[in-house]
Amino acid sequence: KQWYQRRVAITAGDEQLLSKFQLGITNVAAASLAIGYCTEASLPHTIINVFKNVLAVAVETDISFPEADTVKAFLADPSAFAVAAAPEAEAAVEETKEEVKEESEEEESDDDMGFSLFD
């Protein structure tokens, strides 16, 4: 038998290679977090999770540091953090609700088609 190698040209672009590499890193980080084994890929997630735990303890106790103070202030009065653009966002939500109502009314008229399940 003759064994010989084929040369295969890689036709993938840089973006495609980067996306595959990022997918691999994501999978490594997810697996590392799931089994509790720290790797370089899971380290940022681990640090954020630890920070969230410390912040939760600080909110429930008298521990104070700048980030905890901000969260405590938000929990005490969420309306103080309202943004000036909130009315614009509310208007956009209202427009979306109106569009959904119009679509649902159109769908209701088409759904019946003269048939009834329990006649």
Side-chain angles (χ1 to χ4, degrees), residues 43-98:
L43 188 61
H45 302 284
T46 303
I47 291 171
I48 292 297
N49 290 338
V50 169
F51 178 73
K52 287 192 279 186
N53 292 338
V54 169
L55 193 59
V57 169
V59 166
E60 293 295 324
T61 61
D62 293 331
I63 298 172
S64 180
F65 55 93
E67 290 82 5
D69 293 339
T70 304
V71 172
K72 287 179 183 181
F74 177 77
L75 292 175
D77 185 19
S79 63
F81 291 86
V83 180
E88 295 174 8
E90 290 176 5
V93 168
E94 291 297 324
E95 290 176 10
T96 307
K97 286 181 181 178
E98 290 175 5

Side-chain angles (χ1 to χ4, degrees), residues 10-117:
I10 297 177
T11 58
D14 290 341
E15 293 176 11
Q16 194 174 17
L17 290 174
L18 282 175
S19 68
K20 294 294 182 182
F21 182 73
Q22 288 174 341
L23 181 64
I25 294 294
T26 302
N27 290 338
V28 168
S32 299
L33 288 170
I35 63 174
Y37 185 77
C38 191
T39 62
E40 286 186 36
S42 68
L43 188 61
H45 302 284
T46 303
I47 291 171
I48 292 297
N49 290 338
V50 169
F51 178 73
K52 287 192 279 186
N53 292 338
V54 169
L55 193 59
V57 169
V59 166
E60 293 295 324
T61 61
D62 293 331
I63 298 172
S64 180
F65 55 93
E67 290 82 5
D69 293 339
T70 304
V71 172
K72 287 179 183 181
F74 177 77
L75 292 175
D77 185 19
S79 63
F81 291 86
V83 180
E88 295 174 8
E90 290 176 5
V93 168
E94 291 297 324
E95 290 176 10
T96 307
K97 286 181 181 178
E98 290 175 5
E99 291 174 5
V100 169
K101 283 183 182 178
E102 291 173 2
E103 290 176 6
S104 64
E105 289 173 1
E106 291 174 5
E107 290 176 5
E108 288 176 6
S109 65
D110 292 339
D111 288 343
D112 187 21
M113 295 173 58
F115 299 107
S116 178
L117 183 63

